[in-house]
Amino acid sequence: MSDAGPGIDTVPRRKGLSRRQKRSLSRGVQYAVFVAAVVGFALSADWGRLRNQFAQAGIAGEMFPEVITLALKNTVLYTVSGFAVGLALGMVIALMRLSSVGPYRWLAGVYIEIFRGLPALLIFIFIGVAIPLAFPGTEIIGGTYGKVALALGLVAAAYMAETIRAGIQAVPKGQMEAARSLGFSPARAMVSIIIPQAFRIILPPLTNELVLLFKDSSLVLFLGVTLQERELSKYGRDLASTTANSTPILVAGLCYLLVTIPLGFVVRRMEAKAQEAVK
C-alpha cells in the first residue's frame, strides 16, 4: 500500500524542452535546411555550361592588364571625383539646412527631396542631354570626367548633406558654447570645433556612400564614352558582345569586389571603434 496521501500524484511529470534547448534545436533545423538547399542547388546546376559561359580562362587572361589599367582606373577616378564634388556640395547644403535664414533652409530642403527622389540614371541623362540642349556650346570642364563627377556629385550631395547635418547635430551643444566662451566666432567655431568632431561620427556612413558611388559609376555609359573612357561595366559588356561570352562580365564584377569588400571591412572597423569610444 502506498504511503502517499490521497489525491497526490506520485508519477513524476515530464518536463518540456528549456528555452536554450529550443533555440539550439531551432538553429539546428535552420542549418540543416540551409545545407540541404545548398547541396540541392549544387547537384541540380549545370556547372559545365556555367563554366563555358562565365569562366573561360583564355578570355579572362586577354582582359589583363587593360581591365585594371583602364577600366578599373577610370571607375576609381569617376568615383573619387564624384565623391569630392558631392562632399563639398553636401557640406554647403547641410549648413544651409541648419541656417537660421529661412530661404536657405527651404532651398536646401527642396534640393535634398528632389535629388534623393530622382533615380541616378535620370541625373546622368539630364547632364548628358538636357544641359547641351538648354545651353548650346556649353562644355563642362573635364569632358566626360567632369560630367560624371557632376552627375555623381549631385546625387551624392543630397544624401551626404543629411548625413553631415545629423553629424553636426550629434555634437554636444556645449562644444559650441565652450568655443564661444573662448572668443571664437560662430563660423570659426563651426569650422574648427564642430565639423571635425562631426566627421568622426559620420565617417562610416560617408564610406558607405563611397561604395554606392563606386557602383553608380556604371551609369557613365549613358553619357557616351570613348574606348579610353570606359569603366568596368561598359568595358565588360563590350568584351562580352565581342567574344559572345559572359566571362568579361564576371571579371568586371570581381574587380568591383576588389574595391568594395575592403571598403566594407573599413566601415565595419570604424563602426566598431565608434561603439568602443561610446562605451
Side-chain angles (χ1 to χ4, degrees):
M1 188 172 180
S2 175
D3 294 336
I8 299 178
D9 188 4
T10 58
V11 179
R13 295 182 178 179
R14 186 176 180 180
K15 295 182 179 180
L17 296 175
S18 66
R19 289 185 177 180
R20 178 177 295 180
Q21 290 173 328
K22 290 180 179 178
R23 287 197 296 267
S24 298
L25 179 60
S26 176
R27 284 196 297 268
V29 172
Q30 292 176 38
Y31 291 150
V33 171
F34 174 75
V35 171
V38 171
V39 171
F41 172 79
L43 294 177
S44 61
D46 189 340
W47 295 105
R49 294 181 64 183
L50 285 173
R51 184 171 57 253
N52 290 334
Q53 185 63 27
F54 288 95
Q56 290 292 329
I59 296 176
E62 292 175 358
M63 297 176 65
F64 290 90
E66 194 174 44
V67 67
I68 302 296
T69 59
L70 175 67
L72 182 57
K73 181 198 73 173
N74 283 337
T75 301
V76 171
L77 288 176
Y78 293 147
T79 303
V80 172
S81 59
F83 184 83
V85 172
L87 185 60
L89 184 57
M91 175 64 71
V92 174
I93 295 171
L95 295 176
M96 291 174 63
R97 188 83 157 153
L98 295 170
S99 174
S100 59
V101 181
Y104 287 167
R105 294 197 306 273
W106 302 333
L107 287 173
V110 169
Y111 178 92
I112 290 171
E113 293 303 323
I114 289 177
F115 283 90
R116 281 199 309 183
L118 288 175
L121 171 60
L122 296 183
I123 306 301
F124 273 81
I125 294 175
F126 177 80
I127 296 296
V129 178
I131 289 183
L133 289 176
F135 306 97
T138 301
E139 289 292 336
I140 295 176
I141 298 176
T144 300
Y145 293 95
K147 292 178 183 178
V148 176
L150 180 59
L152 289 177
L154 288 174
V155 175
Y159 295 93
M160 290 186 185
E162 287 294 87
T163 301
I164 295 171
R165 178 188 61 80
I168 291 174
Q169 290 181 326
V171 177
K173 294 183 179 179
Q175 296 291 320
M176 175 63 79
E177 295 171 357
R180 294 300 305 277
S181 67
L182 293 174
F184 283 70
S185 66
R188 185 183 174 191
M190 179 64 72
V191 172
S192 302
I193 306 297
I194 305 301
I195 290 179
Q197 294 186 61
F199 266 85
R200 293 182 188 176
I201 300 172
I202 64 176
L203 270 179
L206 284 182
T207 309
N208 279 327
E209 184 61 33
L210 181 62
V211 173
L212 294 176
L213 286 180
F214 188 74
K215 294 185 292 184
D216 284 344
S217 65
S218 61
L219 298 174
V220 69
L221 67 95
F222 291 97
L223 296 178
V225 295
T226 66
L227 292 177
Q228 296 302 313
E229 294 170 341
R230 291 178 296 176
E231 41 68 54
L232 281 171
S233 293
K234 174 67 172 171
Y235 183 82
R237 281 194 296 269
D238 287 349
L239 285 184
S241 299
T242 302
T243 61
N245 190 275
S246 299
T247 299
I249 295 177
L250 177 62
V251 174
L254 293 176
C255 289
Y256 276 105
L257 294 179
L258 285 176
V259 176
T260 57
I261 289 179
L263 283 177
F265 176 77
V266 170
V267 171
R268 290 191 295 272
R269 291 296 301 165
M270 287 191 296
E271 289 176 344
K273 288 184 178 180
Q275 291 176 357
E276 290 176 1
V278 171
K279 294 179 181 180

